[in-house]
């Protein structure tokens, strides 16, 4: 009888061992919980605040008579700039915040080939129009081409010129920024500049900006 009881207990021990093995395998195969990715600040609100702050460029301020503004709806990249100057080639970092300026320059170097389509998120004190690349070319042709159509001349004649903007390049903390702005009003009427800004008490403030000679 004792022998029979030992055989009856043996399958029970196997079942327990199988349960432990399956449980261990399940634990080993359980996927690890992914690490939480750091939150990346949304660039767009600050981008449009900065665009609205630097509009219009100096040349249009001097010529301004209350006309609506025309803005290219596609940002310019390094290849579109003439002359092709990096921000640190025209601006010096402020002595009290060299690191923030340097980080913004690094962001430019990483994204200088990008272009972005702009939306009607500007906060400007007057009406403005966003022009597609084709419309921007027609605008420039209306001022420079002997074959410009009367319809193009009529459509764009009420604007001082057209403003081209780069993307905004930020430091890591998004408290410093660089932006390129070009005002164009004709073959002998244009001005471009890099502008450096910092966010102070939640408000973007222009720290520096040096324009090359007007052409």
């Amino acid at each position: 009888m004792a022998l029979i009881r030992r055989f009856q207990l043996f399958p029970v021990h196997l079942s327990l061992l199988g349960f432990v093995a399956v449980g261990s395998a399940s634990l080993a195969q359980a996927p690890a919980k992914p690490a939480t990715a750091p939150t990346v600040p949304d660039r767009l609100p600050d981008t449009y605040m900065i665009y609205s702050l630097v509009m219009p460029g100096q040349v249009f301020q001097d010529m301004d008579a209350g006309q609506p503004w025309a803005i290219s709806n596609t940002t310019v990249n390094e290849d579109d700039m003439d002359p092709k100057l990096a921000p640190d080639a025209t601006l010096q970092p402020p002595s009290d915040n060299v690191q923030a300026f340097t980080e913004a320059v690094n962001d430019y170097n990483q994204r200088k080939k990008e272009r972005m389509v702009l939306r009607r998120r500007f906060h400007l004190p007057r009406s403005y129009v966003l022009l597609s690349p084709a419309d921007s070319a027609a605008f420039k042709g209306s001022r420079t081409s002997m074959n410009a159509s009367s319809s193009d001349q009529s459509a764009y004649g009420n604007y001082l010129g057209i403003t081209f903007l780069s993307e905004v390049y930020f430091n890591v903390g998004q408290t410093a920024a660089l932006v390129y702005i070009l005002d164009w009003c004709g073959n002998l009427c244009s001005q471009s500049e890099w502008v450096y800004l910092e966010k102070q008490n939640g408000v973007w403030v222009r720290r520096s900006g040096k324009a090359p000679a007007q052409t």
Side-chain angles (χ1 to χ4, degrees), residues 24-167:
S24 300
S26 298
L27 290 173
Q29 293 173 4
K33 187 176 180 180
T36 302
T39 302
V40 178
D42 183 0
R43 293 172 177 260
L44 290 181
D46 282 323
T47 291
Y48 282 97
M49 286 182 193
I50 289 169
Y51 286 155
S52 302
L53 177 63
V54 301
M55 283 285 299
Q58 186 61 53
V59 67
F60 286 171
Q61 288 181 5
D62 295 340
M63 299 166 58
D64 187 33
Q67 299 97 325
W69 289 329
I71 305 168
S72 171
N73 81 342
T74 303
T75 59
V76 297
N77 70 5
E78 178 197 43
D79 298 326
D80 304 318
M81 299 176 187
D82 186 17
K84 188 184 297 186
L85 293 174
D88 50 336
T90 62
L91 297 178
Q92 294 295 321
S95 59
D96 60 342
N97 207 356
V98 174
Q99 180 65 28
F101 179 90
T102 301
E103 289 177 0
V105 172
N106 290 341
D107 189 38
Y108 162 77
N109 287 329
Q110 293 173 11
R111 300 194 295 120
K112 61 187 178 181
K113 298 296 185 182
E114 296 178 6
R115 294 187 181 92
M116 179 177 74
V117 176
L118 302 179
R119 307 300 181 191
R120 291 192 62 84
R121 297 180 60 173
F122 293 75
H123 299 283
L124 301 175
R126 67 184 65 182
S127 61
Y128 68 95
V129 62
L130 293 176
L131 299 181
S132 68
D135 290 336
S136 298
F139 187 112
K140 297 181 78 171
S142 72
R143 304 287 174 95
T144 59
S145 175
M146 296 293 293
N147 300 318
S149 68
S150 58
S151 60
D152 282 346
Q153 292 175 340
S154 175
Y156 304 121
N158 194 38
Y159 298 96
L160 281 174
I162 182 170
T163 298
F164 296 87
L165 297 158
S166 72
E167 289 193 42

